[in-house]
Amino acid sequence: MSSQTIAPNSGISDCCLSGHLHVGNPIGQEEALGGMTTYTTGDVKNKNKSILFITDIFGYHLTNTRLLADEYAKAGFYVYVPDLFDGDYVPEYVLDVVAPKDTAPPKSFTEKALSTAKAPFDLGPWVVKHREAVSLPLIKNAVEAIRADPATGKLGAVGFCWGGRYAILLAHAGSQVDAAVAHHPSFLGLPDDVEPVAKPLAVTVGDKDSMLDQKGVAQLKEILTSKAGVPSEVTVYPGAHHGFTVRGDLNNETEREQKEQAAEQTIAWMRKYL
C-alpha cells in the first residue's frame, strides 16, 4: 500500500480516527435503499420501530458498526445502515495505527502515521467530498426511502461521530424522524445546529472528547433544557474518549461497560419514543 500523508488542516482531530476493531459475525444482509447499498438487520415485522443508523467516517462496512446495528435489531428494531459514502469510507486499518494509549507519551497523529508502513488516509479531500451539502440530501433520501415502505411505523435516527451531528439535524422541526440519539457528535455548530431541535433527543459524550469539550456540553444542555415539551438528555461518560460507543476497547473493562451502557441507553430511548 502506498504511503499517504495527513492533511494538517483536515478539521478532524486524532480522536476522530482512534479506536479498536471489534470481532464478530454480523447477521444482517445488504440491500438497496434509495439508490444506496444498505446493511439491514432485524425482523421485518419490527419495521413499525425502525432505526436509521448514521455511521462515523469508517462507514457502513465496519464490523463494529454492523455488530452494534445487530444489537439494536435483537432489541426489537429494524435497522438500516446506508453506505452514505458510496464506498469511500475511511479505511479501517487507520484504527490499527491510531488506537489511543493513555499510558504512552503523547504523539501527534502525523508522528504515529510516519512510524508505520501503513500511513493513514488523507482526510482533507475526504472532508470536502462528504460535506453537508452532499451528505445531508443523501441522509434525507434514506429517510424518505424508509418512509416509503408502508410497513414503516415510527422512525428513529442514531448517529455516531460524523453521523452524530446529522442525527441532531434530523431531530429538527419538520423532520420525518420521531426521535434521535447522537453519540459524541463531531463538528456540532452551537447554537445553530441545536436551536431547531423539536424531537426527543439524547446525546452522549465523553469528558475527554476533544470534538465537543465541556464548555460545549454545558451550552448544549442549556439549549435543550430550555425547550419546554421536547424530551432530551445529555449524558457525560467520565474518562471516555471520542468514539467510545462504537470503537472502544472491549478488552478494557471500563470501555466495554461504557460501550454497553450507551447501547442500553439508546435502546431505552428508542423504546420510549418509537
Side-chain angles (χ1 to χ4, degrees):
M1 185 173 296
S2 62
S3 176
Q4 295 173 298
T5 57
I6 290 299
N9 298 314
S10 65
I12 294 182
S13 72
D14 291 9
C15 65
C16 267
L17 294 158
S18 63
H20 298 261
L21 290 171
H22 299 166
V23 177
N25 297 306
I27 59 175
Q29 57 281 319
E30 292 187 2
E31 59 185 76
L33 176 74
M36 292 175 284
T37 303
T38 300
Y39 179 78
T40 60
T41 178
D43 191 321
V44 293
K45 71 181 182 183
N46 291 331
K47 286 186 175 183
N48 62 320
K49 294 185 294 183
S50 293
I51 289 177
L52 172 63
F53 190 122
I54 310 173
T55 72
D56 58 20
I57 61 178
F58 295 96
Y60 92 120
H61 194 265
L62 189 71
T63 297
N64 303 28
T65 294
R66 295 189 173 201
L67 293 174
L68 187 53
D70 289 345
E71 284 189 47
Y72 298 160
K74 289 173 184 176
F77 302 96
Y78 195 82
V79 187
Y80 299 85
V81 191
D83 179 10
L84 297 164
F85 308 137
D86 193 22
D88 186 41
Y89 33 82
V90 174
E92 64 183 38
Y93 68 72
V94 174
L95 291 177
D96 288 328
V97 175
V98 204
K101 301 293 182 184
D102 290 338
T103 56
K107 275 186 176 182
S108 73
F109 185 76
T110 302
E111 287 173 327
K112 283 179 275 192
L114 293 175
S115 69
T116 177
K118 296 190 298 184
F121 199 73
D122 186 345
L123 285 165
W126 190 95
V127 172
V128 173
K129 183 176 180 180
H130 301 288
R131 62 195 181 276
E132 180 181 330
V134 174
S135 298
L136 187 56
L138 293 174
I139 294 169
K140 290 183 175 180
N141 182 54
V143 171
E144 291 174 1
I146 295 169
R147 283 293 186 198
D149 185 338
T152 301
K154 293 288 187 74
L155 174 61
V158 183
F160 299 80
C161 307
W162 178 90
R165 174 174 176 264
Y166 289 104
I168 292 174
L169 298 186
L170 290 181
H172 287 185
S175 169
Q176 296 186 72
V177 166
D178 298 292
V181 177
H183 293 295
H184 32 77
S186 301
F187 312 121
L188 187 61
L190 293 168
D192 292 352
D193 288 345
V194 182
E195 290 284 6
V197 167
K199 308 292 179 71
L201 173 65
V203 182
T204 70
V205 63
D207 64 7
K208 294 187 180 298
D209 191 327
S210 66
M211 296 300 293
L212 182 60
D213 61 21
Q214 293 307 292
K215 182 179 178 181
V217 171
Q219 187 178 4
L220 173 64
K221 287 181 177 179
E222 182 179 1
I223 296 169
L224 291 176
T225 55
S226 70
K227 294 180 171 295
V230 180
S232 66
E233 65 181 26
V234 179
T235 305
V236 179
Y237 284 73
H241 294 266
H242 189 76
F244 74 96
T245 66
V246 72
R247 303 197 304 268
D249 182 0
L250 300 186
N251 292 317
N252 178 295
E253 183 178 1
T254 298
E255 292 189 28
R256 183 181 68 254
E257 289 178 351
Q258 289 182 328
K259 180 261 182 189
E260 291 172 353
Q261 183 181 343
E264 291 169 1
Q265 181 181 350
T266 301
I267 290 166
W269 190 260
M270 290 303 178
R271 280 177 173 165
K272 186 173 183 179
Y273 295 106
L274 295 189

